[in-house]
Amino acid sequence: MKLMEFQGKDLFRRVGIPTPRGAFVRTADEAERFVAANPGSWVLKSQVLMGGRGKAGGIKFADSPAEARALATELIGEILKGVQNPEGERVESLLIEEKVAIASEAYVSITIDRATKKPAIMVTAQGGMDVEEVNERDPDAISKYWVDPAIGYSPFIGRRLAFAAKLPAGFHKAFPSILTGLYKLFMEYGANLVEINPLVLTKDGAVIASDAKVELDDNGLYKHPDLKEWNAQSTSDPDQMAAVAIGLGMSNYAKLDGDIGVIANGAGLGMGTMDAIRNAGGSAANFLDIGGGAQAKLVKDSYKLVTDDPKVKALFINIFGGITRGDQVARGIVEALSGNDLRKVPLVIRLTGTNEKEGRAILAEAGMNPVETMDEGAKMAVEMART
Amino acid sequence: MKLMEFQGKDLFRRVGIPTPRGAFVRTADEAERFVAANPGSWVLKSQVLMGGRGKAGGIKFADSPAEARALATELIGEILKGVQNPEGERVESLLIEEKVAIASEAYVSITIDRATKKPAIMVTAQGGMDVEEVNERDPDAISKYWVDPAIGYSPFIGRRLAFAAKLPAGFHKAFPSILTGLYKLFMEYGANLVEINPLVLTKDGAVIASDAKVELDDNGLYKHPDLKEWNAQSTSDPDQMAAVAIGLGMSNYAKLDGDIGVIANGAGLGMGTMDAIRNAGGSAANFLDIGGGAQAKLVKDSYKLVTDDPKVKALFINIFGGITRGDQVARGIVEALSGNDLRKVPLVIRLTGTNEKEGRAILAEAGMNPVETMDEGAKMAVEMART
Amino acid sequence: MSIYLDKNSKVIVQGITGREGLFHTQRMLAYGTNIVGGVTPGKGGTTVEGGTTVEGGVPVFNTVKDAVDATGATHTILFVPPQFAADALYEAYDAKIGLAVAVTEGIPAHDMLKIVATTPGMRIVGPNCPGLVSPGRALVGIMPGHVFAPGRVGMISRSGTLTYEIVDGLTKAGLGQSTCVGIGGDPIIGMTFVDCLRSFASDPETDALVVCGEIGGSDEEDAAAFIREHLPGKPIVAFIGGRSAPKGKRLGHAGAIISGNVGTPESKLAAFAAAGVQVADRPSQIPGLLKERMAAAAV
Amino acid sequence: MSIYLDKNSKVIVQGITGREGLFHTQRMLAYGTNIVGGVTPGKGGTTVEGGTTVEGGVPVFNTVKDAVDATGATHTILFVPPQFAADALYEAYDAKIGLAVAVTEGIPAHDMLKIVATTPGMRIVGPNCPGLVSPGRALVGIMPGHVFAPGRVGMISRSGTLTYEIVDGLTKAGLGQSTCVGIGGDPIIGMTFVDCLRSFASDPETDALVVCGEIGGSDEEDAAAFIREHLPGKPIVAFIGGRSAPKGKRLGHAGAIISGNVGTPESKLAAFAAAGVQVADRPSQIPGLLKERMAAAAV
């Protein structure tokens, strides 16, 4: 689950990381009232998940209630587009924050390093810009530390990184304890990534997290029922929501450009199935991974989800059973097709592995004959879609 | 810091360990009002630190407001005496708790095992009695587990102990999670000991901590400013309070029966000094360990504390400097004796080790001549106390 | 010889009386796996029907320690929900189990971070993996046993179902397997490609290898580096899943920098090429490519 | 030879610019200890006056890693308040320091529990200890160096000041020391009696030993068991502090059961007697008793 800035900063405050004064608003009215009650210079920041919202025009400055109202009216409801999200993201809310006088900007993040199986901390004094750019231009400017998970974070790590990355002296006192909080957040909330960019040293000597990027591991969310509400809001992607609605993970369903629906068990086999379709001269309309151990009900729901896409002219169900049992899949397919509630499309089934015999028997009884191999099934699906 | 039952149960609730319904009261009025507002059968439990308060008459049962008033009047202000505290402890408050219908009683504790350097968990199905008695009578009835501090507690430990100690089946479901809470308390609050005796299985199937014994490591208390108030109340021993008042640890000062005051640096040397005094035919009136690195001010305060005891006829200051510097000690002694505010008693000083030369010079200037050895000093102090 | 698992490995099943646990216990027994016991708290003393393999059924114990004390078990497989998986792995470690297979999908990455850091000496296969099989000897996992055949090809794979697909092809082409290890596709796993390659390297009965990777992470790059240094000339074919996948969500920037900008299909192809390992474009090519390499190496 | 510490040991001081750190650095330098650097965050690049030993003063670094990288330090001594001690020890461990002396009093027992469990390979002396000295070679601690003399008696002690008292007696009796280790009196310490005994056992230049224990805990009992098994016939004299102490607060019941009802003076006396180790009644007896044992063993 990716968090919006205002949610990330909520977590920051829970672990003692200083954030700018401000307010979260959903309407221009609220924006105007806040600035009226708190005269001064304010920043209006669009709350979106995309990167590069500044360049996309999602950040404005207001010095008066009227200005705040006008800019908020402009921002809320706008569709921001960036390099990485050409389809755009709609602004639903704003974070209004005090404009701080910046003396210096740093960057700090903690992520999971798959290779070393450790949390990895990165710090650079070149904050406020894209860290990948910094890495390409000047990799030595980035200091890294891999934390031993059995020991955890200790403040010397923050001290060492602050010195190694040559952060200005004004950061030194606050930095190890800000990193203490950031590591605590990373661990307690099971984050894949926590990032402060920029971490600002203000002209009056305070160190404040000016932005917040937090991505939590969906698998660990059950430990945080308090974040349930955020989780419900965290995607506006209808494909992801549809997958979650039938009990799958967010990334188990994706729409593509072709005309053949794909249901497979396992991401690896699913990818392989798409490769096979392409090799046979066709193109997938979508891809649904029913995961391991799917029951008949899930197979039926998956069938519905995939065939609901009007682009789909044929469907290829490719199952190699391990924890998934052929009989359960077969039963689901038969159920899906038995009523008149679901759209019928030309269907190719490939069913092998665990309980293959039982599954084939069930399909045979319903008059269906599965194919033997993935390549064969792909070829047949491509032909069916053409006719 | 030893906690009273009501404080221990406060912590229990913070970590999710179920405790009986009830109220904490300081007066008979409050006791009467509580039972009037909550009709039923109640237990009045004297809040004291001593063991064996039940045998000492500190626990009573009340079925009516009037009875509660009468019994509370009797208990509050009473001095309870037990085998281990012949001098007695005054009851200042009561915990009023519902009388639960007991189906079975178990015992569980976590303590620090010095030898293995691990937290050790002990469980027995023979709850509600002195665990040392159980250990003597039937050691196999006690199941133990040593937790790896790098891993921490995991619920399988609770399951294993519940099976190994043959707890009745009614405990099994709740036990691992109660132990989760108990371990959390042990770790988060830096406890030397957490103990539930008895952990009660009620006739209606609930598992509740009926008593609470918690002892926190004084060295870790700085991490818990929220417990500061309890810490201030946690001793009524005037010797301990006097030591804390001048900045020493609670156990750095103890009154004894003899007539020679003892100030030494380090517990080991202090014990050795008392041995030496006994070997010379005398007896210590008290014992003050000024610890390591004492400054002149502390030496002066210590002199005052020791000589404030009217039993003291002579004082032996025995310093073997390591981190403690001879010059600082000498300066403290000279300061203590320079004014007219402190009682003068015959004084023997032994001063060697770090900055010995500087210290001796300061003392010489003030007309004092330290002795060479501990045995010599002890002998001289005994003679001085006799005259 | 096989690696990690053979006919004598004593295996227990944690969560043996659950739906999946029961189902796969029967299948593993039917395959010939030496399942000596199972664990379900509160069901100690009962038995689980053992098909034709175990007389009187498989004994169930309350704790892993009881099971190990009674049976001398060395291997375990876990059929437990993700929120109880860490506890189950620690229970196995505590009872001195040597190899644990974690089939479970959805274990929090942070749980795995801590587990792999604090269970030195225990091999963890997975999580989110199909387990491992030494064909003809024993199967500890959820794999469909009938696709495997005994032989001299070792296989390591991050993907479950793709493994079956590939092995099916190998078997039909007459290429039996020594051991197949499904190491799992999660971000943090126990045994890696390199761990398995090291073991295969010292197995005299494994002549050739198939390495089935995926985009993301740096395991394939590490494997290629290991092969380059320790297994030059060994007949090895690799496959990389997800090469034609829509770009979708990519790794966070920070993660990419930490791992040194690897994880892309291009990076993995380049690494294998540098190690002299041929990469198949589709699973069905693998048997043919492997036979060529084996013929060239004259094994 | 000495154990743990000699003239070549490269020592750094964590907290070198603090009051105690500065004071004891001067004293250690004066003793001849090879202090190659110190650490105080923010004071990197400065120096601390090194008396006559170090030309240009002792260099100060911002981090232990910087100090180790620049000097090759192997030993450290910490002069930091208790709430920062865990961090300082982890910093030393992380920088691959081999031996760390923690003088600090008042470190929470739970901090030490975690530290000793997670710093394998680093020797920790203390906490709440006076450090160690190999007389005539080097001193890393807060001990008054002038009471020690080079020689062939090894000493291990839980008490600081009592150590000085005893060593003073040994030196005046002509019994110099190979190495004296003050292991500290806290409930959870790094190196124990047994750890030190094991090292002394393989030191050809240590002929005899003094073991200075205290009531409480089971370290003395463990030491006695080790001596019984591995050092029979070695001239060893023990002392147990606190035998005449008022009973005061005793160990909790639970603690006493876990440790097997040891910790009393009686238990310790019995253990040493069973190991053939003579226990002195007062410090001043130790030199005489040790000479008798050494004469009997003809060393």
Side-chain angles (χ1 to χ4, degrees), chain D residues 55-250:
Chain D
E55 209 164 326
V58 178
V60 179
F61 301 89
N62 286 320
T63 68
V64 177
K65 185 168 191 308
D66 287 350
V68 170
D69 286 350
T71 67
T74 51
H75 290 51
T76 185
I77 178 166
L78 286 67
F79 292 98
V80 297
Q83 60 269 38
F84 304 126
D87 185 45
L89 282 166
Y90 278 124
E91 183 170 7
Y93 175 69
D94 176 86
K96 309 229 175 344
I97 286 286
L99 187 147
V101 174
V103 171
T104 310
E105 187 179 346
I107 300 178
H110 280 255
D111 286 5
M112 289 310 302
L113 278 179
K114 192 186 153 197
I115 289 164
V116 297
T118 53
T119 57
M122 181 169 80
R123 289 188 166 113
I124 297 174
V125 180
N128 191 12
C129 82
L132 73 166
V133 54
S134 294
R137 291 156 165 146
L139 183 158
V140 180
I142 57 170
M143 300 185 271
H146 69 272
V147 303
F148 298 90
R152 305 180 64 92
V153 176
M155 167 142 186
I156 323 166
S157 173
R158 268 168 71 182
S159 161
T161 42
L162 209 48
T163 305
Y164 317 154
E165 189 70 46
I166 292 169
V167 167
D168 199 35
L170 291 173
T171 298
K172 284 174 179 159
L175 293 166
Q177 305 91 41
S178 54
T179 299
C180 299
V181 188
I183 60 172
D186 274 4
I188 305 296
I189 54 175
M191 308 273 292
T192 60
F193 279 139
V194 169
D195 294 325
C196 297
L197 285 170
R198 188 170 288 122
S199 300
F200 275 127
S202 55
D203 177 22
E205 294 188 14
T206 298
D207 296 334
L209 291 166
V210 176
V211 176
C212 174
E214 274 178 17
I215 52 168
S218 64
D219 243 25
E220 289 77 10
E221 285 84 344
D222 296 340
F226 181 89
I227 290 167
R228 195 176 178 174
E229 188 172 351
H230 300 283
L231 294 169
K234 187 101 176 174
I236 303 178
V237 173
F239 180 79
I240 298 165
R243 281 164 66 186
S244 75
K247 257 203 165 176
K249 294 186 300 183
R250 52 175 298 207

Side-chain angles (χ1 to χ4, degrees), chain B residues 13-274:
Chain B
R13 286 186 290 270
R14 294 188 202 184
V15 295
I17 298 173
T19 58
R21 278 192 312 135
F24 172 71
V25 302
R26 293 185 184 278
T27 66
D29 260 10
E30 288 177 88
E32 183 183 14
R33 274 203 304 275
F34 176 79
V35 174
N38 301 277
S41 290
W42 294 95
V43 193
L44 276 60
K45 301 161 92 177
S46 299
Q47 295 302 290
V48 286
L49 291 172
M50 64 180 280
R53 80 189 149 169
K55 281 185 195 155
I59 295 179
K60 306 280 182 189
F61 299 87
D63 293 322
S64 70
E67 208 175 351
R69 178 179 198 90
L71 291 170
T73 306
E74 189 184 308
L75 287 172
I76 296 170
E78 198 188 346
I79 310 283
L80 295 182
K81 292 185 184 179
V83 190
Q84 284 171 30
N85 69 332
E87 71 286 4
E89 184 176 353
R90 191 185 142 95
V91 179
E92 304 284 353
S93 57
L94 304 175
L95 188 57
I96 306 183
E97 283 188 342
E98 64 181 324
K99 230 166 116 176
V100 295
I102 296 171
S104 184
E105 294 179 310
Y107 166 98
V108 54
S109 70
I110 311 176
T111 184
I112 293 176
D113 180 26
R114 295 170 65 140
T116 59
K117 304 176 191 176
K118 288 179 177 173
I121 306 177
M122 275 202 293
V123 177
T124 171
Q126 302 183 28
M129 54 189 92
D130 185 335
V131 67
E132 279 195 308
E133 274 175 46
V134 177
N135 188 50
E136 268 167 40
R137 203 182 55 240
D138 186 9
D140 292 342
I142 301 177
S143 297
K144 301 167 191 171
Y145 188 90
W146 283 261
V147 180
D148 180 340
I151 295 179
Y153 174 82
S154 213
F156 81 85
I157 297 168
R159 288 199 304 275
R160 180 194 298 180
L161 286 169
F163 286 115
K166 299 191 174 65
L167 298 194
F171 279 106
H172 285 205
K173 192 157 185 256
F175 192 74
S177 72
I178 284 174
L179 205 43
T180 299
L182 200 62
Y183 191 83
K184 191 176 173 196
L185 194 167
F186 178 78
M187 294 303 291
E188 283 199 5
Y189 292 91
N192 291 326
L193 169 71
V194 290
E195 184 179 271
I196 308 178
N197 188 21
L199 179 69
V200 165
L201 173 64
T202 68
K203 289 211 168 125
D204 50 3
V207 179
I208 302 178
S210 182
D211 200 355
K213 193 167 170 186
V214 176
E215 198 180 319
L216 304 182
D217 176 8
D218 293 331
N219 288 338
L221 284 182
Y222 74 88
K223 297 179 185 178
H224 296 281
D226 53 319
L227 304 186
K228 216 167 189 174
E229 201 190 331
W230 289 356
N231 196 19
Q233 302 163 351
S234 74
T235 179
S236 51
D237 181 330
D239 294 349
Q240 294 186 343
M241 290 198 299
V244 170
I246 64 170
L248 290 170
M250 269 189 198
S251 53
N252 281 39
Y253 180 63
K255 280 199 180 172
L256 306 167
D257 296 329
D259 54 8
I260 298 170
V262 172
I263 294 177
N265 62 324
L269 188 64
M271 304 289 182
T273 309
M274 287 191 286

Side-chain angles (χ1 to χ4, degrees), chain A residues 1-4 7 47-50 78-80 85 87-92 229-244 250 253 255, chain C residues 249:
Chain A
M1 171 169 68
K2 284 184 181 172
L3 300 190
M4 300 239 194
Q7 295 166 330
Q47 295 301 290
V48 285
L49 291 172
M50 64 180 280
E78 198 188 348
I79 312 282
L80 295 182
N85 69 333
E87 72 284 6
E89 185 178 352
R90 193 184 139 92
V91 179
E92 304 283 354
E229 200 189 330
W230 288 355
N231 196 18
Q233 303 164 348
S234 72
T235 178
S236 52
D237 181 329
D239 296 346
Q240 295 186 344
M241 288 198 298
V244 170
M250 270 189 199
Y253 180 62
K255 279 199 182 170
Chain C
K249 295 185 299 184

Side-chain angles (χ1 to χ4, degrees), chain C residues 113-169:
Chain C
L113 278 180
K114 193 186 155 200
I115 289 165
V116 296
T118 54
T119 57
M122 181 169 79
R123 289 189 167 113
I124 297 175
V125 180
N128 191 15
C129 83
L132 73 165
V133 53
S134 294
R137 290 154 164 146
L139 184 158
V140 180
I142 57 170
M143 298 185 269
H146 69 272
V147 303
F148 298 90
R152 304 179 66 87
V153 175
M155 167 142 185
I156 324 166
S157 174
R158 265 168 75 180
S159 160
T161 43
L162 210 46
T163 306
Y164 316 155
E165 191 69 46
I166 293 169
V167 167
D168 199 36

Side-chain angles (χ1 to χ4, degrees), chain A residues 86-100:
Chain A
E87 72 284 6
E89 185 178 352
R90 193 184 139 92
V91 179
E92 304 283 354
S93 58
L94 305 175
L95 189 57
I96 305 181
E97 284 188 341
E98 64 183 323
K99 227 166 119 179
V100 295

